Structures are given as C-alpha cells and as structure tokens.
Amino acid sequence: MGKYTEPATDLLQHVGGKENIATVTHCATRMRFALKDPAKADVTNIESIKLVKGTFTQAGQFQVIIGNEVSSFYNEFVSIAGLQEASKEDVKNAAKQNMSWLQRMIAHLADIFTPLIPAIVVGGLILGFRNIIGDIKMFDDSTKTLVDISQFWGGVHAFLWLIGEAIFHFLPVGITWSISKKMGTTQILGIVLGLTLVSPQLLNAYAVANTKASDIPFWDFGFAQVDMIGYQAQVIPAILAGFVLAYLERFLRDKVHNSISMIVVPFFALLPTVIIAHTILGPIGWKIGSVISTIVYSGLTSSVGWLFAAVFGFAYAPLVITGLHHMTNAIDLQLMSELGGTNLWPMIALSNIAQGTAVLAMIYINRKDQEERQVSIPATISCYLGVTEPAMFGINLKYGFPFLAGMIGSLFAGIVSVGSGVMANSIGVGGIPGILSIQPQHMGMFALAMLVAFVVPFILTIAFSKRPKMNLKTRTKTTKLNA
C-alpha cells in the first residue's frame, strides 16, 4: 500500500465513486473534478481526510486542496479509480454542464483574457518603469528626470516603448487570436482580423479625438464612404469582431464541401467579418466601451466615489469565489484605452494584499500548528503575488472571520486609493509588486493604501478570533473532531 492509497481511496468514495467523475485533473495545489452530479460529493467526509486542506466549487469544478503533494496524489488517485489523465481544458469543458448561462458567459470571458494576462502584466511593469525614469524629476533640484541626464536611460526609455506599444496598442490582435483559439477556429485568421483593426493604414485611435471630421481618411466606394479609423487598445470591438469571425467560420465549415473548404471558408469568413468590423461592430463597440469606461470612471471620481470604492473593495474577494472578477479585466483595459490608465485595478491589488494579510494574522494566531503552516505560509506568499485562491479557500473561508477581516481591510484601502485619485498605468502583478504599475505621482498614496491593507486585516483578524461567536479554539476543536 502506497503513501496515498488510503486517502485516494477515501476521496474516490466520497466524491461519489468513479461513475460520478466526468473527468479530473490537477493544478499546483488542487485536484479539479468535473462531477456528473455535484450533490453526491460528501464535503464533510472529504474535508475529514487528513491530506485534504479544504474544498470549494468554482466555474462548475469541484476542487479539493491537497497542497504541494498534489501531483503524486493525483497519480495514485487516477490509478486506483481506473481513470485516464485529463487536461485542464477537458475538465473545463466537462464542468460547463454544471454552470448557469451567466457562469458560462463569464467563463468564456475568462478564457479569452487568461492567455493575455502575462503579456498585460509585463506591459504594466514596463510602463511603470518608463514612468519612473522618464517622468519623476529626481535630479538637479527636482528639475530633471533620469532620462534627461543620461543618454543610456534615454535609450532604455525609448526602447521599452517597443514592447509597451506591441502589448497595448496591438491588444486587439491578441484578443481576436485568443477567441479563435478558444472557439477552435483558424488562429491565423484571428490574427489577421486583429491586424486589420490596428493597421498603420488607419488613423490611430489615439489621434481621432484631435482630428477634424473632414480630415479623417476614408474608403470611397462611390455609393458609400467608410472611415479609416483604427481600434488600437480597444477591447469590445475586437471581442465582437472575433466572435463574428469564429461563428461565421464554423457555419461555413458545416455548409461547404471538404473539397473546396480550404479556399472558400477562409475567404468568406474573413472578408465579410473585416467589412462588418469597420462598418458596424467597430463604431458600436467603441461607443459601448466609451460608455462603460465613462460610467465606471465617473462613479469612482464622483462625490460618492468613496462609496463605490467601499462596495467594490468589500465585494471583490467574494467576486473571486464566484469567478465574476474576470469581468474586471475587460473594464480595466477599456479604462486604459479611454483614459490612459485605470483607477479600478489598484483596488484589486489592495484586496489581494488584504486577504494575504488575514492569512498572515492566522499564521501568528496558529503559530504552533505546524500542519496548517504548510498551507498558510505558501498561501500568504501566493496572495501577496496576486493569486488569492489558496489563501481564501485554504485558510480564510475555512475559519470565516479572516475572510471578513480581509474584506473590511480591502474596503478601507479602496477608499484611500480612490479618494486620493490613484491611477495605474495598466493591469499589473495583483499584489505587493503592483505598486510598480501605479503612475509615479500616485505611488505615495498607493503605498499608504497598501499600509491600510496590511494593518486593518491583521488587527481585525486577531480581534475577531477572540470574540465568542468566532472563537478560534472552538473552530479548531471542531475541525479536529471532524478529522
């Protein structure tokens, strides 16, 4: 009998047996199940297995937190269950049967932006670094920047824009490619479509506002004229165009005979989509995006912006649990396109820090519990680097009150951030390193907001642990009895 034979056998039994598993895979710390009937999973008994650190359901997947041993445990589990190994994509597809239409829509949105996040984070860090060396006057009695006094740093500043422009101005290319990849259509057609939205032949989107209507170039078809406007950094036009191309290609595949599909399908999918994108989808998408960004920005900068910040700061962590937080990526990117930065994303980074600090407080409170430290210490580090799920599901939701303390800390930190007008260049690393993505003139106030996100959750977590209804000793005793 192997090290994981007994817990793997118990887990198999309590998830409803092999017949209840549609597919299963694992990530860095968790087993991820797509169950045919989620109601058959016996959560109480599963969490009583010694190796299990907790459970939760997200995006239709039943996830069991194992920790760093998950890879070896998974191999033993699939061997005992007689299952074939599956990919994360297989589990995602199988899990959609357990999702509502809203959850499926959000999952689609997440699938589009998730492959783009590494590039966007890199872009945010690059823009932040360029602002530090090019905008902050630190020399000659605060009259010159590093770029002003150094040819080397001037060259670095100019060179880094090559990457920044590629990531943000040409973002529609990434979006249309990602949609094609997700929909299983021809990815190069998605890339070409994106390029037609940002081609140098078009008037740059950033120049439109300062260009007279009579000076905007256009295609003249005799019976109609179409403005030659680019959609650099525009999110919604790219999403709309990407889905039109994907659905049109899939429709043509079903209707066109295989013998001529190589010629007919790409041509009659791409050409109509490009025409529709520049005549209908682009202008409509631009307007929708402008309205969304205006509403969000107006709400955050209005006289009741503090209330908006309080609600968002308090609710963001629960949004992560439901998966709804993926919608904020599109809003952030739209704000960046319209306003040159985002005042929404800093609150996300602060919420992550607050949840990580709540776990840090639990490490202090449970400092003699070596078994829990195996989960809490890596979870805290992960949280401070922008990945909150291990912290929230492994510790904070397990006890309840640390999660609430983190939400309250995020609330106050959000008020400080929004109240002082903090803006980020872009989406960045959603934790402590996030300060590098903040516009230089706002870094000081963001640092103050970070301090609030450290202090408030830590104090509240300790205070809540001493309350009778939140007594840690009672909760720990119950947990041990269940185990």
Side-chain angles (χ1 to χ4, degrees), residues 236 240 281-294 334:
I236 296 179
L240 295 177
L281 301 179
I284 291 176
W286 189 319
K287 185 65 177 178
I288 293 172
S290 297
V291 169
I292 291 173
S293 59
T294 299
Q334 193 62 44

mmCIF file of all heavy atoms in Angstrom, residues 236 240 281-294 334:
data_model
loop_
_atom_site.group_PDB
_atom_site.id
_atom_site.type_symbol
_atom_site.label_atom_id
_atom_site.label_comp_id
_atom_site.label_asym_id
_atom_site.label_seq_id
_atom_site.Cartn_x
_atom_site.Cartn_y
_atom_site.Cartn_z
ATOM 1 N N ILE A 236 -13.737 45.977 -26.764
ATOM 2 C CA ILE A 236 -15.058 45.476 -27.185
ATOM 3 C C ILE A 236 -15.147 45.307 -28.700
ATOM 4 O O ILE A 236 -15.679 44.289 -29.172
ATOM 5 C CB ILE A 236 -16.168 46.379 -26.630
ATOM 6 C CG1 ILE A 236 -16.156 46.299 -25.100
ATOM 7 C CG2 ILE A 236 -17.538 45.963 -27.177
ATOM 8 C CD1 ILE A 236 -17.179 47.156 -24.418
ATOM 9 N N LEU A 240 -16.178 41.627 -30.310
ATOM 10 C CA LEU A 240 -17.320 41.450 -31.219
ATOM 11 C C LEU A 240 -16.852 40.889 -32.564
ATOM 12 O O LEU A 240 -17.449 39.940 -33.092
ATOM 13 C CB LEU A 240 -18.035 42.790 -31.418
ATOM 14 C CG LEU A 240 -18.707 43.399 -30.178
ATOM 15 C CD1 LEU A 240 -19.303 44.763 -30.522
ATOM 16 C CD2 LEU A 240 -19.792 42.471 -29.639
ATOM 17 N N LEU A 281 -19.477 46.850 -36.275
ATOM 18 C CA LEU A 281 -19.018 46.399 -34.963
ATOM 19 C C LEU A 281 -18.037 47.373 -34.321
ATOM 20 O O LEU A 281 -18.103 47.626 -33.113
ATOM 21 C CB LEU A 281 -18.367 45.017 -35.080
ATOM 22 C CG LEU A 281 -19.257 43.902 -35.631
ATOM 23 C CD1 LEU A 281 -18.471 42.600 -35.708
ATOM 24 C CD2 LEU A 281 -20.483 43.714 -34.750
ATOM 25 N N GLY A 282 -17.106 47.898 -35.123
ATOM 26 C CA GLY A 282 -16.114 48.815 -34.581
ATOM 27 C C GLY A 282 -16.736 50.056 -33.966
ATOM 28 O O GLY A 282 -16.506 50.356 -32.786
ATOM 29 N N PRO A 283 -17.524 50.816 -34.736
ATOM 30 C CA PRO A 283 -18.144 52.019 -34.168
ATOM 31 C C PRO A 283 -19.046 51.728 -32.971
ATOM 32 O O PRO A 283 -19.030 52.449 -31.973
ATOM 33 C CB PRO A 283 -18.957 52.575 -35.347
ATOM 34 C CG PRO A 283 -18.238 52.069 -36.563
ATOM 35 C CD PRO A 283 -17.751 50.698 -36.184
ATOM 36 N N ILE A 284 -19.843 50.639 -33.061
ATOM 37 C CA ILE A 284 -20.734 50.297 -31.949
ATOM 38 C C ILE A 284 -19.931 49.877 -30.724
ATOM 39 O O ILE A 284 -20.204 50.300 -29.598
ATOM 40 C CB ILE A 284 -21.700 49.164 -32.368
ATOM 41 C CG1 ILE A 284 -22.700 49.679 -33.399
ATOM 42 C CG2 ILE A 284 -22.442 48.613 -31.141
ATOM 43 C CD1 ILE A 284 -23.636 48.616 -33.938
ATOM 44 N N GLY A 285 -18.927 49.022 -30.950
ATOM 45 C CA GLY A 285 -18.096 48.565 -29.839
ATOM 46 C C GLY A 285 -17.359 49.704 -29.169
ATOM 47 O O GLY A 285 -17.228 49.749 -27.940
ATOM 48 N N TRP A 286 -16.847 50.645 -29.969
ATOM 49 C CA TRP A 286 -16.153 51.811 -29.421
ATOM 50 C C TRP A 286 -17.104 52.605 -28.526
ATOM 51 O O TRP A 286 -16.735 53.035 -27.434
ATOM 52 C CB TRP A 286 -15.640 52.685 -30.559
ATOM 53 C CG TRP A 286 -14.719 53.801 -30.134
ATOM 54 C CD1 TRP A 286 -14.845 54.606 -29.036
ATOM 55 C CD2 TRP A 286 -13.527 54.215 -30.799
ATOM 56 N NE1 TRP A 286 -13.827 55.518 -28.989
ATOM 57 C CE2 TRP A 286 -12.993 55.299 -30.052
ATOM 58 C CE3 TRP A 286 -12.862 53.802 -31.947
ATOM 59 C CZ2 TRP A 286 -11.832 55.970 -30.436
ATOM 60 C CZ3 TRP A 286 -11.712 54.470 -32.319
ATOM 61 C CH2 TRP A 286 -11.196 55.524 -31.573
ATOM 62 N N LYS A 287 -18.331 52.791 -28.996
ATOM 63 C CA LYS A 287 -19.312 53.563 -28.221
ATOM 64 C C LYS A 287 -19.654 52.851 -26.920
ATOM 65 O O LYS A 287 -19.714 53.481 -25.844
ATOM 66 C CB LYS A 287 -20.587 53.756 -29.063
ATOM 67 C CG LYS A 287 -21.625 54.655 -28.396
ATOM 68 C CD LYS A 287 -21.111 56.081 -28.255
ATOM 69 C CE LYS A 287 -22.174 56.988 -27.671
ATOM 70 N NZ LYS A 287 -21.667 58.378 -27.471
ATOM 71 N N ILE A 288 -19.871 51.546 -26.988
ATOM 72 C CA ILE A 288 -20.177 50.772 -25.772
ATOM 73 C C ILE A 288 -19.024 50.875 -24.776
ATOM 74 O O ILE A 288 -19.227 51.104 -23.583
ATOM 75 C CB ILE A 288 -20.452 49.294 -26.119
ATOM 76 C CG1 ILE A 288 -21.745 49.166 -26.929
ATOM 77 C CG2 ILE A 288 -20.562 48.457 -24.839
ATOM 78 C CD1 ILE A 288 -21.989 47.778 -27.477
ATOM 79 N N GLY A 289 -17.810 50.693 -25.271
ATOM 80 C CA GLY A 289 -16.640 50.776 -24.404
ATOM 81 C C GLY A 289 -16.499 52.142 -23.761
ATOM 82 O O GLY A 289 -16.169 52.254 -22.573
ATOM 83 N N SER A 290 -16.758 53.195 -24.543
ATOM 84 C CA SER A 290 -16.667 54.550 -24.005
ATOM 85 C C SER A 290 -17.692 54.781 -22.908
ATOM 86 O O SER A 290 -17.404 55.407 -21.886
ATOM 87 C CB SER A 290 -16.857 55.581 -25.124
ATOM 88 O OG SER A 290 -15.828 55.488 -26.085
ATOM 89 N N VAL A 291 -18.901 54.271 -23.122
ATOM 90 C CA VAL A 291 -19.970 54.427 -22.120
ATOM 91 C C VAL A 291 -19.595 53.699 -20.827
ATOM 92 O O VAL A 291 -19.737 54.242 -19.724
ATOM 93 C CB VAL A 291 -21.311 53.899 -22.668
ATOM 94 C CG1 VAL A 291 -22.353 53.815 -21.551
ATOM 95 C CG2 VAL A 291 -21.818 54.801 -23.790
ATOM 96 N N ILE A 292 -19.094 52.462 -20.957
ATOM 97 C CA ILE A 292 -18.718 51.673 -19.777
ATOM 98 C C ILE A 292 -17.610 52.377 -18.998
ATOM 99 O O ILE A 292 -17.686 52.543 -17.778
ATOM 100 C CB ILE A 292 -18.271 50.262 -20.180
ATOM 101 C CG1 ILE A 292 -19.460 49.459 -20.707
ATOM 102 C CG2 ILE A 292 -17.639 49.530 -18.987
ATOM 103 C CD1 ILE A 292 -19.086 48.106 -21.295
ATOM 104 N N SER A 293 -16.561 52.790 -19.706
ATOM 105 C CA SER A 293 -15.431 53.436 -19.025
ATOM 106 C C SER A 293 -15.852 54.759 -18.399
ATOM 107 O O SER A 293 -15.403 55.102 -17.296
ATOM 108 C CB SER A 293 -14.275 53.650 -19.996
ATOM 109 O OG SER A 293 -14.662 54.461 -21.085
ATOM 110 N N THR A 294 -16.744 55.491 -19.064
ATOM 111 C CA THR A 294 -17.209 56.767 -18.522
ATOM 112 C C THR A 294 -18.013 56.554 -17.243
ATOM 113 O O THR A 294 -17.838 57.276 -16.254
ATOM 114 C CB THR A 294 -18.074 57.517 -19.555
ATOM 115 O OG1 THR A 294 -17.288 57.789 -20.718
ATOM 116 C CG2 THR A 294 -18.601 58.828 -18.973
ATOM 117 N N GLN A 334 -10.435 48.690 -20.975
ATOM 118 C CA GLN A 334 -11.184 49.763 -21.620
ATOM 119 C C GLN A 334 -10.855 51.114 -20.991
ATOM 120 O O GLN A 334 -10.697 52.124 -21.689
ATOM 121 C CB GLN A 334 -12.692 49.487 -21.513
ATOM 122 C CG GLN A 334 -13.542 50.364 -22.417
ATOM 123 C CD GLN A 334 -13.245 50.151 -23.888
ATOM 124 O OE1 GLN A 334 -13.116 49.023 -24.348
ATOM 125 N NE2 GLN A 334 -13.103 51.237 -24.635
#
